Amino acid sequence: MPHSVSPESAPADESTQTMSQATSQTGPGTQEDVTMGEASTPAATEAAKVKLEDMFDDDDSDDEFTSSAPQPKPKEEKSSQQQPAATFKISDRSSFSEPDVMRAFYQRLFPFRFFFQWLNHSVVPSKEFAHREFAFALQNNILVRYQSYPTHDLLRKACVQDVPPRIDIGPIYSTNPRDRKTLRKASSFVPVSRELVFDIDMNDYDDIRTCCTGANICRKCWAFITMAIKVVDSALREDFGFKHILWNYSGRRGAHAWVCDKRAREMDDSKRRAVAGYLELLKGGDQGGKKVNVRRPLHPHVERSLNILKEHFSTTILDEQDPWADEEKAAHLLGLIPDTTLRAALQKKWESSPSRPSASKWADIDSVAKSGALSKSSRDLLEAKQDIVLEYTYPRLDADVSKKMNHLLKSPFVVHPATGRICVPIDPQNVDEFDPLSVPTVLDLLKEIDDWQGDEDENGEKKLQDWEKTSLRPYINQFRIFVAGLLKDEKDGGGLKRPREEGGDAMEF
Amino acid sequence: MIRHDYSRVDTKRRPNIDYKKRQFAKAEFQQQNYDHRLNFYRLPPTAEITLEEFETWAISRLKVLSELESCSFRNRSPEETAEYMTSILSKHLPLHSNSSRSQSLQDERRKDHYSHFILRLAFSSTEELRRRFSRLETMLFRLRFRDDDFRERQEFVKDLSLEWEEVDEDEKRELKDQLMAASSLKKGDEQEWIKVDWERVPELVEQRRVLMKRGKAYVPQREQQSLVVADFTKRLDEALSLTARALPRLDEDDRLAPILAHLSQSFNSPDAAYSSSDAEIDGLSSIRANSIDTLSKNFPLCMQNLHMTLRANSHLKHYARLQYTLFLKGIGLSLDECIIFWRKSFKLMTDDKFQKEYKYNIRHAYGDVGGDANRRGRGYTPYSCHKIITEPLPGPGQAHGCPYRTFTPDNLTAMLQRVGVQDRDLLKAVKEDVNKTRYHVACNRVFEYSHKREIKKVKDDGSWSAADLDTIVHPNAYFKRSWLLKHVGDGNAGVVAGAGDKMEE
């Protein structure tokens, strides 16, 4: 589809700019139309590509990232700098899901190449990528499933053409997902591998968070996600021995984890269920009463999690969330204390001063117990308190996402359709510093490209990619390092396979 | 390049040249010596046995396996199964421990070994048979493993040389507390642990019953069973699929083939206890949509419940519809009549809605629409008791499932009284069955009660054999037997065509 190559498309950029300079003499108003007409001629695009490659053959880096930066042509500098602003005007009124905005995002910011390497586990295109299911949620809210692309170029082309507000990633299938209907046996179309994924959503915390509800978040309740990431990440690394875990902001109020180790990718559903079950601690619905029922002595995983969570309990829960401030909530806390005498004593105390902050109420439990209102052993009380800490802090996973190999999950780096924020990676080492509210939106980023004032005229300096001019830069760098680490392990692991493949090629002659 | 070509031809040709040589290179037609009571069945037997032994041994094992299967269908707990199986095992396939110093030790083990491999041959032909055989053999193995002498079991496991690593003393000391906590042991319980890749014990991981460290699971000795059993199943599955591939090339005269065919036939699944012959009931003319109300008196409680719910609400939810539609299909209601039945039953619904949202599902259940496989198989098979009892419990507003399982005891009693079961002793017995989760026994008990007179009659005049009155494990079988019993006097209805051989196709 040559027509899908739109005016701002990367390779054509240079030439169309040049051409538009010529024609724009007639009047700035016609400029856009003319560019469009020129660029949509396939021949022109092809020619431009060749020309571009000739000119920049020393530039071996990502040609998928366009640069709208002024080319070293001083005469035209001024007008070419205005080019992006002319093609899509970003005003405060622009909405992030507008096709033009999304198109610019896919053309200039989405890191297709690292994305490809991430899913392909190698630089050479293979089935790992070609048989991978992508699902596009289109502008009209229709979900198109079972899309697949042999290379990142074709994926990019499709994205630029369809401008999906959301891309989901599914498993790698035994055959190309596009051919699934041509198969004689349904059994030859089965998912064969897929990252182990986790989804943590703030919704599940609604009964214990007091600051916001539903889709809203603030820095206070993000602390729940921070705790969850710490616990799950350490369990996956220390207990299961996984190394390549990509944590991702989901764009609004949650986080996703992609465990990319080969061992994790090849797990069947029963093993995925086992991991999810291992990590799942809170059971029971709203009417189920106590949600934590763990064996004693505590399993080492629970013990470690409790140690991680304890630190957060006093700050995040008691001070910031203040979950037992009103009477109804305090009654729930009483319900979690098994000791009836103690419960009665506490109830009496709190009835007289119902608005005591949670931290004092929490302290009351111990002080009242010490003053003699304890009928059971102090060990029981300690265990009950541990259970309460766990109920209020332990990660609440949407376990069904992890249990099935063919569950779709939103891709990293796409734009969240409701907030416009990019689904950027979260560094699990510095998870405390991550602030969801400061994650750039797509409009911020596009503006940053336009506002960028770099001195690129200096000779010898490498041309910057568009993303490098924006605040997306640290995130993409982080992703790039992650992917590089994954590829390295993959190469070492698959070292035995390589010679044979080469041998197979030789036989073709 | 030339070398490549050379080696390619060579590797292809080599097996063709000397496969016979290889096959008979080291033929050992000799007795094996069985050191252990348990057997992992890794080596096939090579010594000679008579044809008669071949057949009788296989039949003995088959009896054991089908009893085991019926235990699982009747939802017996492992302890009950073990108790029930003791006498059957000692009759058909006794296996004594080394310490018993029995004279026939080697013979028993030989019989066990041979019969296993004979049945492997008989049950490797289809996926369905392979799955069942592997499941039942695993059950048998687990049963024997459990009641094996502790020391002998350890020796057996050691001899298997499964790939696992013992946790050495240093590591044990270092991780002592964590190991204890993970496997919830008390101080002082000295234990051995083994280290394996966690993927081999997913169910232990899921329940957080093992210590995990960098992808290794530390499995305590007493959880060894699940490891060994998992390994047994894995090997057996692999071996069965290999056997299936080799089967067409079985160099066989016509002595064994008929025996094997016969064996696999008599092992048909009671899950498929429903056969198309069940729909053909003598004396029952083709069923119409408006005769369901009358016939529902002969339905088992699960279907009566659905029928009454349908009449009360003029609606049923998806799973209930599916369960009921398939049952109706099973008693011989045609697709057209079934659509009429549902259309009339959903009397509050517009025709448009029915056509759009409901008709397709009915047609799908009959195999009239849907994928190729669905149409070729003429839709789904009517659900068996086993299926109905083991599926997840119904949620709010849903009516499917087995009432003996899904109802609270009080509601169940009320329900039974509504359908005319008043006897207090019976209701009490039913309650006890239900408490022991033997729903199926309760259902059969109710059946026997409500057909007391008829059963006595057919028993007395000898027109029905004991096999015709075997435990019911399928709602459609319930209906068929109930209908025939109630019409035993009318014309030729007393002839129970096919009722006895419902286990066969």
Side-chain angles (χ1 to χ4, degrees):
Chain A
M1 275 278 267
H3 287 273
S4 67
V5 182
S6 52
E8 313 83 26
S9 133
D13 209 7
E14 225 268 322
S15 70
T16 47
Q17 267 177 26
T18 331
M19 283 185 249
S20 66
Q21 297 321 312
T23 46
S24 64
Q25 308 295 332
T26 49
T30 59
Q31 184 184 341
E32 193 177 328
D33 292 337
V34 175
T35 354
M36 207 172 279
E38 294 288 352
S40 54
T41 327
T45 321
E46 282 310 308
K49 250 182 202 159
V50 173
K51 199 171 129 203
L52 193 79
E53 275 156 21
D54 288 344
M55 285 176 72
F56 294 99
D57 54 356
D58 58 328
D59 182 9
D60 57 344
S61 80
D62 326 339
D63 52 13
E64 86 217 24
F65 293 111
T66 168
S67 174
S68 66
Q71 304 305 328
K73 285 177 190 165
K75 271 186 274 177
E76 291 163 1
E77 189 177 318
K78 203 179 159 201
S79 53
S80 67
Q81 210 167 10
Q82 282 161 358
Q83 174 86 2
T87 39
F88 37 87
K89 290 194 178 61
I90 295 157
S91 67
D92 293 336
R93 280 172 295 151
S94 294
S95 147
F96 14 78
S97 54
E98 262 174 37
D100 279 350
V101 175
M102 290 307 293
R103 185 169 293 120
F105 170 73
Y106 285 120
Q107 279 175 338
R108 317 175 91 189
L109 293 165
F110 194 92
F112 281 102
R113 201 164 81 143
F114 303 131
F115 183 80
F116 164 80
Q117 293 178 354
W118 171 53
L119 293 175
N120 191 54
H121 316 114
S122 143
V123 263
V124 187
S126 72
K127 281 181 190 172
E128 306 259 304
F129 191 78
H131 289 186
R132 168 82 70 162
E133 175 186 354
F134 292 95
F136 282 10
L138 299 183
Q139 297 279 346
N140 46 11
N141 254 335
I142 292 171
L143 187 71
V144 191
R145 289 200 59 186
Y146 300 117
Q147 304 298 299
S148 64
Y149 304 94
T151 61
H152 64 87
D153 284 336
L154 291 163
L155 172 65
R156 179 174 188 276
K157 210 167 155 185
C159 286
V160 171
Q161 185 192 327
D162 297 341
V163 284
R166 171 185 171 135
I167 302 174
D168 281 350
I169 301 179
I172 300 167
Y173 283 96
S174 50
T175 44
N176 192 328
R178 286 187 192 275
D179 298 338
R180 73 194 182 285
K181 292 219 167 133
T182 62
L183 298 168
R184 202 149 3 119
K185 276 200 286 183
S187 57
S188 45
F189 182 66
V190 285
V192 287
S193 102
R194 155 66 186 264
E195 290 79 7
L196 171 67
V197 293
F198 294 93
D199 181 10
I200 308 166
D201 197 295
M202 196 60 92
N203 271 14
D204 301 320
Y205 288 87
D206 270 357
D207 63 323
I208 51 168
R209 66 174 172 157
T210 54
C211 48
C212 327
T213 52
N216 301 317
I217 60 156
C218 62
R219 285 189 183 84
K220 273 188 196 167
C221 49
W222 182 257
F224 282 117
I225 304 290
T226 307
M227 291 189 285
I229 292 177
K230 282 184 183 170
V231 168
V232 174
D233 192 71
S234 57
L236 289 175
R237 281 176 211 273
E238 289 170 29
D239 296 355
F240 289 92
F242 295 135
K243 284 191 207 126
H244 302 285
I245 306 169
L246 179 69
W247 284 97
N248 245 75
Y249 176 46
S250 74
R252 184 151 67 179
R253 50 176 170 176
H256 298 159
W258 297 76
V259 186
C260 307
D261 297 57
K262 199 177 180 69
R263 198 170 162 188
R265 296 201 310 266
E266 286 168 355
M267 284 170 7
D268 58 27
D269 284 351
S270 71
K271 296 186 182 103
R272 283 164 205 263
R273 208 169 47 236
V275 181
Y278 183 84
L279 295 173
E280 214 176 6
L281 199 66
L282 273 56
K283 299 221 170 90
D286 296 339
Q287 310 302 321
K290 198 158 169 276
K291 289 195 180 63
V292 179
N293 292 294
V294 284
R295 279 184 293 120
R296 311 285 165 169
L298 290 176
H299 185 275
H301 160 66
V302 183
E303 183 88 51
R304 177 193 49 218
S305 305
L306 190 64
N307 286 335
I308 298 173
L309 296 168
K310 253 190 223 154
E311 299 169 18
H312 292 267
F313 184 73
S314 64
T315 52
T316 307
I317 302 298
L318 295 180
D319 297 344
E320 290 174 21
Q321 291 291 334
D322 200 5
W324 307 304
D326 65 59
E327 248 171 298
E328 195 186 318
K329 295 256 171 75
H332 180 72
L333 173 61
L334 285 173
L336 295 173
I337 296 169
D339 193 318
T340 42
T341 5
L342 178 62
R343 201 190 302 162
L346 284 170
Q347 194 165 13
K348 216 169 122 195
K349 180 164 183 154
W350 294 346
E351 262 166 20
S352 56
S353 56
S355 54
R356 274 171 81 80
S358 298
S360 325
K361 281 183 178 160
W362 182 249
D364 286 345
I365 298 177
D366 274 340
S367 60
V368 173
K370 269 198 192 110
S371 67
L374 194 63
S375 60
K376 290 188 182 166
S377 71
S378 57
R379 180 166 188 83
D380 285 338
L381 181 65
L382 179 71
E383 288 178 3
K385 281 178 69 177
Q386 284 177 342
D387 287 353
I388 294 170
V389 173
L390 286 174
E391 175 164 342
Y392 279 84
T393 52
Y394 193 84
R396 302 180 170 203
L397 298 171
D398 185 351
D400 289 324
V401 177
S402 315
K403 286 177 187 171
K404 284 261 190 232
M405 199 190 258
N406 60 359
H407 204 106
L408 295 173
L409 191 68
K410 186 157 54 148
S411 154
F413 284 106
V414 299
V415 177
H416 191 286
T419 61
R421 296 193 198 284
I422 314 289
C423 302
V424 294
I426 301 171
D427 182 4
Q429 304 291 323
N430 302 312
V431 60
D432 285 315
E433 285 145 37
F434 185 84
D435 175 13
L437 301 177
S438 67
V439 170
T441 71
V442 59
L443 295 180
D444 295 343
L445 293 174
L446 292 178
K447 221 178 249 156
E448 278 167 16
I449 301 176
D450 295 344
D451 297 345
W452 196 75
Q453 300 286 338
D455 32 38
E456 273 196 294
D457 293 324
E458 279 177 34
N459 288 334
E461 188 157 321
K462 213 176 135 194
K463 181 169 68 85
L464 282 182
Q465 307 295 330
D466 270 351
W467 59 269
E468 288 177 292
K469 304 169 192 162
T470 68
S471 49
L472 198 59
R473 179 179 185 156
Y475 297 113
I476 291 186
N477 272 332
Q478 190 187 330
F479 186 58
R480 193 193 54 181
I481 292 162
F482 175 84
V483 172
L486 176 66
L487 254 57
K488 186 170 174 294
D489 265 17
E490 209 64 36
K491 212 171 157 190
D492 297 345
L496 293 170
K497 214 178 160 189
R498 204 148 286 276
R500 208 171 61 204
E501 270 175 5
E502 278 161 13
D505 284 342
M507 285 209 328
E508 295 292 309
F509 288 99
Chain B
M1 259 183 263
I2 292 164
R3 274 190 65 183
H4 256 298
D5 272 347
Y6 173 71
S7 74
R8 199 183 67 172
V9 172
D10 194 42
T11 46
K12 269 194 174 173
R13 203 179 275 163
R14 201 186 297 134
N16 287 335
I17 293 169
D18 65 347
Y19 79 97
K20 277 199 168 163
K21 258 191 200 162
R22 278 201 305 175
Q23 186 176 353
F24 297 110
K26 267 201 313 190
E28 288 172 31
F29 297 108
Q30 58 181 5
Q31 297 276 1
Q32 285 180 33
N33 197 35
Y34 303 100
D35 291 334
H36 303 290
R37 174 174 173 263
L38 295 167
N39 194 334
F40 235 52
Y41 310 111
R42 280 197 240 199
L43 284 179
T46 44
E48 282 183 35
I49 57 169
T50 68
L51 264 183
E52 198 193 332
E53 280 172 327
F54 186 89
E55 189 163 6
T56 51
W57 288 358
I59 290 175
S60 300
R61 194 177 191 93
L62 198 56
K63 280 196 178 127
V64 171
L65 292 185
S66 44
E67 286 295 338
L68 257 180
E69 184 163 51
S70 75
C71 281
S72 87
F73 282 142
R74 279 157 211 194
N75 224 14
R76 285 202 168 104
S77 67
E79 290 74 28
E80 282 174 320
T81 309
E83 196 190 320
Y84 179 78
M85 291 304 294
T86 319
S87 62
I88 291 162
L89 277 171
S90 67
K91 189 173 157 206
H92 296 294
L93 269 185
L95 271 185
H96 288 98
S97 61
N98 287 341
S99 54
S100 72
R101 298 179 196 287
S102 161
Q103 290 299 315
S104 51
L105 221 58
Q106 288 298 320
D107 287 341
E108 285 171 357
R109 292 175 187 180
R110 195 155 65 102
K111 182 178 172 187
D112 177 60
H113 185 209
Y114 281 68
S115 62
H116 172 87
F117 274 94
I118 297 166
L119 291 195
R120 252 196 210 184
L121 279 181
F123 297 129
S124 59
S125 54
T126 69
E127 173 71 35
E128 155 87 22
L129 283 173
R130 283 199 294 271
R131 224 182 7 231
R132 272 181 70 214
F133 181 67
S134 134
R135 193 180 41 144
L136 294 176
E137 278 289 337
T138 308
M139 276 176 76
L140 181 64
F141 181 80
R142 186 182 288 131
L143 192 73
R144 285 172 166 171
F145 192 85
R146 270 162 53 108
D147 60 36
D148 202 12
D149 178 78
F150 178 76
R151 222 188 48 239
E152 284 179 34
R153 182 166 65 195
Q154 293 308 65
E155 276 169 24
F156 168 71
V157 172
K158 204 182 257 172
D159 265 20
L160 287 178
S161 58
L162 297 172
E163 290 160 25
W164 58 43
E165 206 182 313
E166 304 258 336
V167 179
D168 57 36
E169 288 301 319
D170 289 345
E171 199 172 5
K172 232 158 70 180
R173 214 170 304 127
E174 187 189 330
L175 296 172
K176 192 161 182 249
D177 290 341
Q178 294 190 29
L179 283 169
M180 290 292 195
S183 26
S184 59
L185 291 167
K186 287 177 202 78
K187 289 247 156 62
D189 284 2
E190 271 312 307
Q191 264 274 5
E192 295 293 321
W193 277 271
I194 40 183
K195 206 167 25 165
V196 293
D197 284 343
W198 73 267
E199 283 95 341
R200 285 175 61 185
V201 285
E203 67 278 12
L204 294 180
V205 173
E206 187 171 357
Q207 295 160 21
R208 252 180 268 121
R209 273 162 54 200
V210 285
L211 173 68
M212 297 280 296
K213 272 256 175 291
R214 309 214 171 282
K216 294 278 182 197
Y218 291 67
V219 184
Q221 200 81 33
R222 89 195 128 98
E223 303 282 6
Q224 205 184 44
Q225 182 191 337
S226 64
L227 257 175
V228 178
V229 172
D231 216 68
F232 178 85
T233 317
K234 203 177 116 216
R235 278 165 201 270
L236 181 57
D237 285 342
E238 282 166 9
L240 276 173
S241 59
L242 280 181
T243 316
R245 245 180 279 163
L247 205 57
R249 278 174 279 134
L250 184 66
D251 191 12
E252 217 287 280
D253 47 31
D254 39 347
R255 294 174 309 162
L256 300 186
I259 300 178
L260 291 177
H262 181 74
L263 285 172
S264 62
Q265 263 167 27
S266 53
F267 189 56
N268 254 324
S269 155
D271 200 39
Y274 165 77
S275 64
S276 49
S277 71
D278 269 0
E280 294 151 16
I281 303 176
D282 289 332
L284 180 60
S285 54
S286 63
I287 302 171
R288 307 295 296 266
N290 49 19
S291 48
I292 302 292
D293 276 322
T294 337
L295 289 174
S296 71
K297 288 189 189 61
N298 298 97
F299 287 0
L301 197 63
C302 47
M303 301 302 166
Q304 285 201 44
N305 172 37
L306 293 179
H307 192 78
M308 289 193 280
T309 317
L310 177 63
R311 287 288 173 251
N313 303 343
S314 298
H315 191 262
L316 279 180
K317 293 209 170 189
H318 175 79
Y319 288 106
R321 278 201 318 272
L322 190 60
Q323 183 180 329
Y324 200 31
T325 307
L326 293 175
F327 172 77
L328 293 176
K329 178 173 99 168
I331 69 170
L333 191 70
S334 69
L335 172 60
D336 293 339
E337 288 294 321
C338 191
I339 293 175
I340 296 172
F341 169 76
W342 284 109
R343 178 67 280 246
K344 283 185 175 166
S345 305
F346 288 179
K347 51 181 177 249
L348 304 176
M349 189 179 287
T350 63
D351 207 42
D352 192 40
K353 188 172 161 76
F354 181 82
Q355 299 290 345
K356 259 193 201 148
E357 293 172 26
Y358 294 86
K359 202 169 149 191
Y360 186 89
N361 277 349
I362 304 168
R363 291 177 62 201
H364 195 266
Y366 272 77
D368 193 42
V369 286
D372 201 31
N374 186 45
R375 296 167 75 157
R376 224 179 306 131
R378 280 170 287 144
Y380 310 132
T381 332
Y383 289 169
S384 64
C385 292
H386 179 64
K387 160 114 183 135
I388 294 174
I389 288 175
T390 48
E391 69 191 358
L393 284 166
Q398 295 182 321
H400 65 273
C402 172
Y404 295 100
R405 171 167 174 250
T406 60
F407 281 36
T408 61
D410 291 342
N411 291 348
L412 179 64
T413 311
M415 171 83 183
L416 282 169
Q417 283 168 341
R418 241 178 101 192
V419 300
V421 181
Q422 304 290 351
D423 190 288
R424 288 176 64 188
D425 289 341
L426 179 79
L427 288 173
K428 215 174 122 195
V430 164
K431 220 177 211 172
E432 275 167 22
D433 289 335
V434 169
N435 278 339
K436 285 186 205 147
T437 70
R438 288 156 75 168
Y439 313 115
H440 170 267
V441 178
C443 188
N444 274 280
R445 200 184 289 281
V446 170
F447 181 88
E448 276 161 30
Y449 169 81
S450 46
H451 299 80
K452 216 169 17 191
R453 234 168 340 119
E454 292 84 355
I455 291 175
K456 191 168 180 300
K457 196 173 149 199
V458 292
K459 263 191 187 158
D460 286 349
D461 63 19
S463 55
W464 287 33
S465 64
D468 294 334
L469 294 165
D470 196 16
T471 325
I472 297 170
V473 291
H474 199 293
N476 286 89
Y478 185 107
F479 169 74
K480 181 177 184 178
R481 196 181 297 174
S482 169
W483 197 87
L484 287 171
L485 282 171
K486 291 291 180 191
H487 295 78
V488 83
D490 324 346
N492 62 352
V495 185
V496 206
D501 26 354
K502 66 174 189 313
M503 293 299 188
E504 291 174 29
E505 280 293 345

